Amino acid sequence: MHQDWSKLPLHLLDSILERLELPSNYLRFSVVCKSWYCAAKDGKNLLAKIMSSGHYYPPMLLFHTNENNAWNLYSVPENKVLDIQLEIPNIYKRFCGSSKGWLIAMDDNFGVNLINPFLRMKGRKPKENSIIHLPSLTPPPTASRRAFWRTKYERFVYKAIITADPIINPDDCIVVVIYVERCRLAFIRLNKDISWTYMAEDYKTIEEVAYVDRKFYAVDNRSKVLCFDIVSQFNSKYRKDFTWRWTAPKVVHQDISDGFK
């Protein structure tokens, strides 16, 4: 007897969705038919939960095709290109970070953008909040430097990280960037800040930054480790001191150069 899978009850589709563990399975589920796509769309937080669950999932590589805005996924364990294409606007020429299923890229107005490629399947309407546009970073002070970086805007941020999924836990999501003007740090808290906060001039030439146990660790070009706690400082009674200007935090300096001799 022929079974019309497009007419499965919604509660059964939800049950299937809840058992998916890989982003690629979620994508395959959503392209079966219109009713399955609607079920996946209604569970808009599900994919974000999969990506931020902390469970290991096989790595995938994202690469551009010859088609406009089209990207393919390569599954490393399966050793093949998946039969799914993702749509990412060509304005995002370089990704300066990736975490929790999100890509981070600059636009030509020095704006920082969070992009969830798994919510942007080619041939489907992009899901709500598949791209989150953050405020623009302060451009370089001189006209000549601004003109220069507008031609290379995709490299204005050297690296970027996020602390939490911006859909599931927006109140816990902090975006930290290393921007190229003297390799300084800046951050913004989703749902809380309307502009970026910039680290003091004393802390520059940063080459790496990571988030561990609610603290940020950065390494500069002199092999110094800097540790600072944005979360605790902004939750304290002195929060107003940090709103628009970075006041020097409690920074721990540790020379790690001996470890590389």
Side-chain angles (χ1 to χ4, degrees):
M1 181 177 180
H2 176 71
Q3 176 68 46
D4 188 351
W5 294 100
S6 66
K7 295 182 179 180
L8 282 179
L10 181 59
H11 73 276
L12 291 182
L13 295 178
D14 289 340
S15 180
I16 296 172
L17 281 169
E18 291 172 358
R19 287 166 170 77
L20 299 181
E21 296 182 354
L22 304 180
S24 57
N25 290 339
Y26 177 91
L27 296 179
R28 289 188 174 103
F29 178 99
S30 63
V31 298
V32 170
C33 61
K34 183 176 181 181
S35 62
W36 286 45
Y37 171 75
C38 291
K41 182 179 180 181
D42 290 340
K44 62 182 179 179
N45 287 339
L46 177 66
L47 180 60
K49 290 179 181 178
I50 293 174
M51 300 303 296
S52 62
S53 63
H55 299 301
Y56 170 80
Y57 49 87
M60 290 185 288
L61 302 178
L62 185 68
F63 62 95
H64 193 263
T65 69
N66 293 326
E67 300 179 35
N68 189 38
N69 296 340
W71 293 71
N72 281 340
L73 280 172
Y74 172 77
S75 173
V76 175
E78 299 175 271
N79 191 28
K80 69 175 184 179
V81 177
L82 300 182
D83 54 350
I84 296 170
Q85 283 194 329
L86 307 176
E87 186 173 3
I88 303 176
N90 286 336
I91 190 173
Y92 305 120
K93 298 180 180 180
R94 171 182 173 268
F95 303 120
C96 51
S98 62
S99 180
K100 307 183 188 308
W102 292 78
L103 302 172
I104 308 172
M106 298 293 296
D107 60 37
D108 55 2
N109 195 37
F110 301 108
V112 179
N113 302 270
L114 309 181
I115 308 161
N116 192 321
F118 299 106
L119 300 180
R120 301 186 59 83
M121 294 185 55
K122 192 171 180 63
R124 301 281 189 179
K125 182 180 179 180
K127 296 187 179 182
E128 183 181 3
N129 290 333
S130 63
I131 298 181
I132 299 176
H133 303 284
L134 301 179
S136 296
L137 290 162
T138 301
T142 65
S144 60
R145 294 296 291 170
R146 288 194 296 271
F148 172 80
W149 281 111
R150 286 198 183 279
T151 64
K152 300 180 181 295
Y153 65 87
E154 70 275 9
R155 299 187 178 277
F156 189 70
V157 165
Y158 169 67
K159 181 178 180 178
I161 62 173
I162 61 176
T163 61
D165 188 284
I167 291 181
I168 296 180
N169 299 307
D171 291 337
D172 295 327
C173 184
I174 303 174
V175 183
V176 177
V177 302
I178 304 175
Y179 63 103
V180 295
E181 292 294 302
R182 299 188 179 181
C183 288
R184 292 173 58 191
L185 288 174
F187 71 87
I188 191 168
R189 302 169 302 155
L190 268 65
N191 285 358
K192 298 176 183 177
D193 297 333
I194 60 174
S195 63
W196 292 85
T197 299
Y198 297 87
M199 200 172 203
E201 182 71 20
D202 296 339
Y203 307 107
K204 56 189 178 183
T205 61
I206 302 298
E207 295 187 345
E208 187 61 73
V209 63
Y211 180 71
V212 181
D213 294 334
R214 300 179 68 84
K215 288 185 174 62
F216 292 92
Y217 295 86
V219 179
D220 66 13
N221 66 343
R222 296 165 295 176
S223 299
K224 301 288 186 180
V225 174
L226 298 85
C227 174
F228 52 100
D229 185 350
I230 295 174
V231 178
S232 297
Q233 291 187 31
F234 272 86
N235 289 338
S236 73
K237 63 180 179 180
Y238 303 109
R239 174 181 170 182
K240 62 181 181 180
D241 296 334
F242 298 90
T243 302
W244 303 112
R245 179 184 299 174
W246 179 276
T247 302
K250 294 180 180 179
V251 179
V252 178
H253 298 268
Q254 177 66 48
D255 193 339
I256 62 172
S257 57
D258 292 340
F260 295 93
K261 291 182 179 179

